[in-house]
């Protein structure tokens, strides 16, 4: 179960509203939703939480790129809305790399083998030639456990990096309280 809220800054303070994410499929959709709630291109925060497992904050300031913070990236990776927030850039991956790998995996037997030989995976290729074995514990597609993203996303609104890292449950209440001061 998800909870999502929009916090839009106005000249009278913050205006909070629940929001539905049914039509949100990409970060771009989420950013557009935030911009629609903006008054005079002021700051909008989108808060998403999944049953106290993780929460994410997306900050949209006018036409600038969104800034993202996720409290637990590995938990968010197992969630459809979390996957929206965990962009290639946020994860430090080459944009579109997953699509390229998936396309390559669809190609079968282009290496001329008869299918009885084990195929080398791209991560194994080259390492055997160098005389080293691949590291079985290293997965370049693994999502790190714990917080990920812009730790300063709320610093100018009264919530320091340290405070953001300590938030677990009721994070929205604490974010709203800090932003009021």
């Amino acid at each position: 179960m998800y909870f999502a809220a929009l916090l839009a800054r106005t000249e009278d303070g913050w205006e909070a509203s629940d929001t539905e994410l049914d039509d949100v499929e990409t970060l771009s959709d989420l950013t557009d939703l935030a911009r629609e709630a903006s008054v005079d291109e002021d700051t909008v925060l989108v808060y998403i939480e999944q049953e106290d497992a993780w929460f994410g904050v997306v900050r949209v300031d006018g036409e600038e790129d969104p800034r993202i913070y996720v409290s637990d990236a590995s938990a968010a990776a197992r969630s459809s809305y979390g996957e929206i927030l965990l962009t290639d850039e946020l994860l430090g991956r080459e944009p579109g790399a997953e699509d390229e790998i998936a396309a390559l995996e669809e190609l079968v037997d282009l290496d001329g083998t008869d299918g009885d030989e084990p195929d080398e995976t791209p991560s194994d290729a080259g390492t055997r030639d160098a005389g080293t074995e691949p590291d079985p514990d290293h997965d370049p597609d693994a999502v790190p456990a714990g917080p990920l993203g812009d730790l300063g996303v709320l610093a100018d609104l009264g919530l320091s990096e340290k405070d953001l890292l300590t938030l677990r449950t009721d994070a929205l209440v604490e974010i709203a309280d800090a932003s009021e001061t």
Side-chain angles (χ1 to χ4, degrees):
M1 170 110 95
Y2 292 94
F3 171 76
L6 281 171
L7 298 168
R9 182 180 256 173
T10 67
E11 59 186 41
D12 298 327
W14 290 92
E15 211 173 280
S17 61
D18 290 346
T19 190
E20 290 294 323
L21 300 177
D22 294 340
D23 296 330
V24 174
E25 296 178 6
T26 65
L27 180 59
S28 181
D29 292 343
L30 190 61
T31 302
D32 290 344
L33 182 71
R35 287 190 177 121
E36 289 170 13
S38 177
V39 177
D40 296 326
E41 295 190 4
D42 248 337
T43 301
V44 176
L45 302 176
V46 180
Y47 175 86
I48 302 171
E49 179 181 310
Q50 183 185 12
E51 298 177 343
D52 296 330
W54 66 273
F55 72 89
V57 176
V58 178
R59 178 177 177 159
V60 178
D61 293 302
E63 291 300 316
E64 292 181 30
D65 288 340
R67 297 169 59 193
I68 303 167
Y69 171 80
V70 177
S71 67
D72 186 337
S74 63
R78 296 184 297 270
S79 149
S80 58
Y81 292 118
E83 287 179 341
I84 291 171
L85 303 182
L86 297 174
T87 63
D88 287 337
E89 182 181 342
L90 193 67
L91 293 168
R93 295 180 185 157
E94 192 69 33
E98 276 187 26
D99 296 336
E100 290 175 21
I101 291 170
L104 290 173
E105 288 174 349
E106 288 181 18
L107 299 174
V108 179
D109 289 330
L110 291 182
D111 61 357
T113 62
D114 61 7
D116 293 336
E117 299 173 27
D119 292 336
E120 286 187 357
T121 62
S123 62
D124 293 342
T127 58
R128 293 208 175 114
D129 294 337
T132 61
E133 288 297 315
D135 181 2
D137 296 329
H138 177 69
D139 180 2
D141 292 329
V143 176
L148 186 66
D150 186 345
L151 294 176
V153 69
L154 302 173
D156 65 326
L157 300 176
L159 196 67
S160 70
E161 292 178 13
K162 178 183 172 190
D163 292 337
L164 184 61
L165 287 170
T166 62
L167 295 180
R168 294 292 173 243
T169 59
D170 297 327
L172 180 60
V173 172
E174 294 194 38
I175 291 169
D177 287 347
S179 298
E180 288 179 1
T181 58

